[in-house]
Amino acid sequence: MRDAATAPAAGAPVPDGTGRSAGGGLPGTWACPGADPGGADEGYAAARVRLLQDAELSGPDRRRALSALTDRWLAELFGPDAPTGTALVAVGGYGHGELSPRSDLDLLLLHDGSTDATALAALADRLWYPVWDLGLALDHSVRTPDQARTAAADDLKVQLGLLEARHLAGDADLTAQLRTAALGRWRAQARTRLPELREYATERARRHGELRFLLEPDLKEARGGLRDLTALRAVAASWLADAPREGLQQARDTLLDARDALHVTTGRATDRLALQDQDQVAEALGLLDADTLLRRVYEAAGAVSYASDVTWREVERVLRPRTVAPRAARLRGLLGGGRRSAVRPSGEAVPERTPLAEGVVEHEGEAALALHARPDRDPVLPLRAAAAAAQAGLPLALPAVRKLARTAPDLPVPWPAEAREEFVTLLGAGEATVPVWEAMDAAGLIARLLPDWERVRCRPQRNPVHRYTVDRHLVETAVRAAALTRRVHRPDLLLTGALLHDIGKGWPGDHSLTGETIARDLAARIGFDAADTRTLAGLVRHHLLLVETATRRNLDDPATIRSVADAVGSHGTLELLHALTEADALATGPAAWSAWRAALVDDLVSRVAAVLSGAAVADQTGGQELTAEGERLAMEAWRTGGPVLALRPQQGAGSGGGRVVAEPRTDGEAASGGTGPEPVGVELRVALPEQPGVLPAVAGVLALHKLTVRAADLRLVELSALVECAPEGRADSPDGDSPDGDGPVGQGPEGDAPDGRGATVSSGATASGEAPRVLLLTWRVAAQYGSLPQPARLREDLVRALDGSLRLAARLAEREAAYRPRRSTVAQPPPPRATVAPGDSAAATVLEVRAQDAPGLLHRIGRALEEAGVRVRSAHVSTLGANAVDAFYVTDAAGSPLSEVAAARLAQRLESELR
């Protein structure tokens, strides 16, 4: 709310276009005409500093004290000699009577229209300039009541601000008339303005997200934040509906306390709780750590969100058009014949209360308790009501939830069969489960049913791959699992396992191991028998087994398949674990699941299922038979003495053949797991005479050309037999510029593309004698953006990288520096870590590397392994968000696994190289 009459004089610094000061300026930034530099301004500034530094004053008391102090200062600035017919009014957040340390001052200079323009401008200068001088943010306007009414009609934000109007100085009757008129118009126009307010809230939530699920939430604008509390007060002021009051004031205090601490610790007027500020804010509030802070903020936001949902449902019910019942139906109601009837929008008369389950009815679009229900005598009723509501796609009525929480007794332990069945029915309702579960959780019913739930409730997850808190992620996993119940023989175990799979995150240590113990206790509590309890505990224990093995281990290694089969134990458990893996990943976020990852898991499951059926595990680590195109490229490389490149487009979603397709690196792609074939970039084949440094050189050149690695295969080809029986002719030109598409750059023979997911790099057996040998590498790559580079350019850079004329490491370091975020305030990622996975393979040592994903990371790892003198049998690349998790199968020069000491030293060396 601004007025041109309040602008600073010509030549003075101008505030920004919002009417607020352009920064946290120092006293003296603007000079107020006629102001006394030694007057009330300095007294207010000193008093303000003392108040904000008072350790004994915090929270609502400090906000009210700061508001009162500012009130007195502004009243002094207004002065007793102000023109008649004027008033100074606090509106918006300031009008509510509480000020955060860096909050805007929302002020309206109100006048009745009779005041001389010069005197009014002088009064405005006397008010606004001292505020600017102190560097305070100011949102100001100068209006008559009629102008205020017009502005409110045109701008919903102005209308909401006027609902909080509070008199500060001047003509109190003028302020009272403004407030009375604003409230009267709001109530008279509520049926048209409340839908506008709801649309505004919905759009704001779309832009800023859900506060309780954000790692860096906006305390004001995000859904569940302070803006929603303002909207709830506006709804209440309309007299059409009211918000549930339980916990709402406490939630508001929590959000405001967090914002106060954020203002004080950062010295900025910010509402975003950034990662780098959270530890300081937590300390300022006397909390244990940043996680404790986020959990408290999330709980408050959840209370606000739930209150908003309930309130807007009530508004919708009140505003819903009412259809007049047919005359006969009305007469029957008047004469007492039949039930009271409501009318559907179609005009069809229906009973006002429609039975849903024993003790549960549908009433005005909500699931409510039947009139005859006795929750004090029916401990299963909370679960029955929740299941009935979710299955019908209805919200639980707030009075019903409150009554159940207040009067329903606890279930006996173990639960009766009916309770367990209703519980599974609730979990299997799909998306409709979420609002019903949240209503029960808000009333404390979930914690009574599952005591360990309280430890995961509103618990943040620092991994940016996760889009939800732990508790919501568990519910979302059950929602996803509900769509997969036709794939398993025991849907009840799948749904329950989905809900419990991360329950261990509320305790220290490995959440899978901790969760196994908790799941066993909860399964027995719910009433599952001993065999089902063991199965559920196993699902929780191994819920990451399939996806981690598929993306980080060599599926051609028999030891990998046997270890998974031993852990799973049965076809039934494998079936459940397969569905749980997909549900868990889909509920995590887009970066956690794709068609590639699904194909990998499918491949692993099929191999493990074969082992569980008694089939032998074939050792395919030596690689598959060389294809005709591979022979052609190898011969061409031998004849030319240099690298030969071939490019061809690829389309696929399978993972047959045992090779692994990696997640794309740094290209921002994510798939949701569709069933059709998915473009996977192009296949790049490189053949060149055997020499050291090939792996890091190829990986570096690909990174330099902004190509992401999705799959790779490296083989050492002995040409002694090929030289004698090679087909006539030769591969196309070494630069791969074949115009017809049938040579190195065109579409090669079908069926020889590496399938699977992870970057697989296999080395062949060591040749003896002087037989010529050629390295054959197959990579699946995709452009991060733009078009693919020309094969000739790739070959040229590869030649230069191998002969040392291309400073590959320096070029990649420059690109990585450009790729790295430049803001110094960005939280630093944890250091890279390399570990040895003992026993995962009998033929090689498995080295797992976890690091921040960056251009050239594979090049750096390959170079370090090359310098260490080890041979890479295979490598599996997986990327989750900004985190790379790569597994390398390495041997010594003789092809044997490394000793424990050598493996440990190699891991340490890798960590040092990647820091």
Side-chain angles (χ1 to χ4, degrees), residues 455-456 459 470 502-508 511 518:
R455 294 189 68 91
V456 298
R459 182 171 290 277
V470 177
D502 274 349
I503 197 70
K505 287 186 175 179
W507 298 84
H511 76 279
I518 299 173

Side-chain angles (χ1 to χ4, degrees), residues 68-330:
L69 176 67
T70 306
D71 290 354
R72 292 192 296 271
W73 175 56
L74 291 172
E76 291 178 10
L77 293 176
F78 190 87
D81 58 341
T84 58
T86 60
L88 184 60
V89 184
V91 295
Y94 181 30
H96 198 66
E98 292 186 351
L99 270 182
S100 291
R102 304 290 296 185
S103 289
D104 297 356
L105 294 183
D106 297 324
L107 295 173
L108 166 63
L109 179 54
L110 192 65
H111 62 100
D112 60 8
S114 64
T115 307
D116 178 72
T118 302
L120 190 61
L123 177 60
D125 288 342
R126 193 165 77 194
L127 292 168
W128 308 155
Y129 275 95
V131 176
W132 288 326
D133 286 345
L134 294 183
L136 302 179
L138 175 64
D139 194 354
H140 59 283
S141 63
V142 181
R143 293 188 175 115
T144 65
D146 287 343
Q147 291 172 339
R149 181 178 65 253
T150 301
D154 295 337
D155 190 336
L156 181 60
K157 292 182 180 180
V158 174
Q159 174 69 75
L160 297 177
L162 292 179
L163 296 180
E164 306 277 6
R166 183 170 58 87
H167 182 70
L168 295 178
D171 189 338
D173 290 339
L174 193 61
T175 302
Q177 293 170 13
L178 172 75
R179 178 175 173 80
T180 300
L183 286 170
R185 286 192 303 273
W186 178 248
R187 288 161 186 159
Q189 301 170 359
R191 290 186 173 273
T192 57
R193 306 231 62 178
L194 286 182
E196 182 184 353
L197 177 58
R198 185 174 190 180
E199 179 61 29
Y200 166 66
T202 301
E203 174 61 21
R204 178 168 40 78
R206 187 191 63 78
R207 291 197 313 270
H208 297 280
E210 184 93 4
L211 193 155
R212 55 183 170 151
F213 302 137
L214 298 172
L215 281 177
E216 293 187 315
D218 189 313
L219 300 174
K220 187 175 183 179
E221 302 291 346
R223 184 173 186 268
L226 296 169
R227 287 283 192 203
D228 279 336
L229 285 165
T230 300
L232 291 178
R233 290 197 301 272
V235 173
S238 73
W239 289 354
L240 286 185
D242 198 1
R245 302 300 180 90
E246 291 83 358
L248 211 54
Q249 184 58 47
Q250 181 181 357
R252 181 175 186 273
D253 289 343
T254 296
L255 295 175
L256 285 173
D257 288 349
R259 188 173 71 162
D260 288 359
L262 182 63
H263 287 181
V264 171
T265 56
T266 64
R268 293 180 285 110
T270 178
D271 297 313
R272 184 169 297 281
L273 192 55
L275 288 173
Q276 66 270 16
D277 300 325
Q278 290 173 9
D279 286 322
Q280 289 179 296
V281 172
E283 183 179 359
L285 292 174
L287 301 176
L288 180 64
D289 54 23
D291 279 356
T292 306
L293 167 67
L294 279 185
R295 190 174 185 185
R296 180 172 293 189
V297 167
Y298 290 165
E299 288 175 345
V304 176
S305 295
Y306 178 64
S308 297
D309 290 341
V310 172
T311 301
W312 287 119
R313 281 205 308 270
E314 178 65 13
V315 169
E316 183 179 0
R317 185 190 66 80
V318 172
L319 298 183
R320 187 183 303 139
R322 299 185 178 276
T323 305
V324 179
R327 183 169 181 271
R330 296 202 308 273

Side-chain angles (χ1 to χ4, degrees), residues 538-891:
L539 291 178
V540 174
R541 170 68 181 89
H542 298 301
H543 71 273
L544 295 174
L545 175 65
L546 296 184
V547 69
E548 289 188 345
T549 302
T551 57
R552 304 177 191 176
R553 296 296 181 263
N554 185 0
L555 302 189
D556 290 330
D557 192 329
T560 298
I561 307 303
R562 291 194 191 99
S563 66
V564 175
D566 291 341
V568 172
S570 69
H571 283 285
T573 302
L574 179 63
E575 178 185 74
L576 291 167
L577 207 55
H578 189 190
L580 175 57
T581 298
E582 181 174 343
D584 182 17
L586 290 173
T588 296
W593 196 246
S594 67
W596 304 316
R597 200 166 280 242
L600 268 183
V601 174
D602 289 347
D603 184 22
L604 174 60
V605 168
S606 65
R607 295 177 186 229
V608 173
V611 172
L612 293 175
S613 297
V617 185
D619 187 348
Q620 302 176 11
T621 56
Q624 297 186 347
E625 184 178 351
L626 193 64
T627 65
E629 185 185 34
E631 292 179 2
R632 213 156 41 113
L633 292 174
M635 289 295 297
E636 182 69 14
W638 171 62
R639 290 173 179 174
T640 61
V644 179
L645 277 67
L647 276 172
R648 67 174 184 174
Q650 289 292 310
Q651 186 89 6
S655 59
R659 297 186 181 91
V660 183
V661 180
E663 287 293 326
R665 281 286 177 84
T666 65
D667 63 352
E669 294 185 7
S672 59
T675 57
E678 165 183 339
V680 291
V682 299
E683 182 179 85
L684 169 66
R685 289 195 166 192
V686 182
L688 70 170
E690 181 187 17
Q691 57 186 294
V694 171
L695 176 60
V698 176
V701 169
L702 296 181
L704 195 61
H705 285 269
K706 301 180 178 64
L707 294 174
T708 62
V709 177
R710 290 176 172 168
D713 176 71
L714 183 149
R715 301 182 64 184
L716 184 61
V717 180
E718 185 177 340
L719 296 181
S720 55
L722 295 181
V723 170
E724 300 176 1
C725 61
E728 293 186 6
R730 52 189 286 174
D732 293 316
S733 60
D735 61 9
D737 288 330
S738 170
D740 58 7
D742 294 325
V745 77
Q747 180 67 35
E750 295 189 9
D752 59 339
D755 296 315
R757 284 247 336 139
T760 299
V761 183
S762 340
S763 61
T766 304
S768 59
E770 299 299 325
R773 297 188 298 184
V774 170
L775 287 170
L776 182 61
L777 301 92
T778 305
W779 299 71
R780 275 192 188 174
V781 297
Q784 291 179 25
Y785 42 80
S787 58
L788 291 164
Q790 291 296 322
R793 181 65 183 275
L794 286 175
R795 181 181 184 277
E796 177 185 341
D797 284 348
L798 179 56
V799 171
R800 295 174 58 207
L802 290 170
D803 66 21
S805 61
L806 175 62
R807 298 173 57 249
L808 197 56
R811 293 279 300 277
L812 287 173
E814 293 174 0
R815 184 172 174 237
E816 183 176 1
Y819 175 78
R820 187 183 303 118
R822 298 182 180 182
R823 291 184 303 156
S824 60
T825 56
V826 172
Q828 293 299 313
R833 184 182 180 189
T835 57
V836 179
D840 280 12
S841 174
T845 298
V846 180
L847 199 66
E848 194 167 87
V849 180
R850 298 169 183 262
Q852 188 80 357
D853 186 24
L857 177 62
L858 285 176
H859 163 75
R860 295 169 62 192
I861 295 174
R863 185 180 62 186
L865 294 174
E866 185 84 25
E867 293 173 352
V870 299
R871 298 177 59 191
V872 180
R873 289 179 60 93
S874 64
H876 304 264
V877 176
S878 178
T879 307
L880 290 174
N883 299 298
V885 183
D886 301 343
F888 297 87
Y889 285 63
V890 299
T891 66

Side-chain angles (χ1 to χ4, degrees), residues 405-424:
R406 186 175 63 252
T407 63
D410 291 336
L411 282 167
V413 177
W415 294 0
E418 182 193 357
R420 184 174 66 255
E421 291 167 3
E422 298 291 1
F423 180 69
V424 172

